[in-house]
């Protein structure tokens, strides 16, 4: 008897008319959500895969030369060269 009631209830739910409208904005929202989910899953998988691989890698051999840490205060950018004040042209007067 319980299965008959379940069949009747499901028949009523499936046979009723649905008055829903999906505009193009809703479709593009769903598409963006799907694309975002795919990229998010890919990003998370990549990060966990790198962590998993780094757990099984051998540590790199340390040389005597490379054992010293780099100078933290050193600026890696090349120095900026300024032109001499004498070589600069004077500002033009407004006409």
């Amino acid at each position: 008897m319980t299965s008959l009631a379940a069949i009747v209830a499901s028949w009523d739910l499936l046979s009723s008319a649905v008055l829903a409208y999906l505009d193009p904005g809703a479709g593009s929202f769903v598409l963006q959500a799907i694309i975002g989910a795919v990229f998010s899953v890919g990003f998370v998988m990549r990060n966990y895969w790198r962590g998993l691989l780094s757990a099984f890698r051998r540590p790199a051999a340390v040389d005597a030369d490379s054992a010293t840490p780099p100078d933290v205060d050193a600026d890696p950018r090349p120095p900026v060269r300024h032109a001499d004040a004498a070589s600069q042209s004077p500002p033009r007067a407004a006409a």
Side-chain angles (χ1 to χ4, degrees), residues 24-68:
S28 67
F29 179 75
V30 170
L31 183 64
Q32 287 178 7
I34 291 171
I35 291 172
V38 167
F39 277 100
S40 298
V41 167
F43 180 74
V44 168
M45 295 279 293
R46 181 188 70 177
N47 287 341
Y48 280 119
W49 183 254
R50 285 182 180 174
L52 183 68
L53 288 181
S54 68
F56 291 109
R57 283 199 183 117
R58 266 188 265 151
V62 178
D63 294 338
D65 295 333
S66 66
T68 58

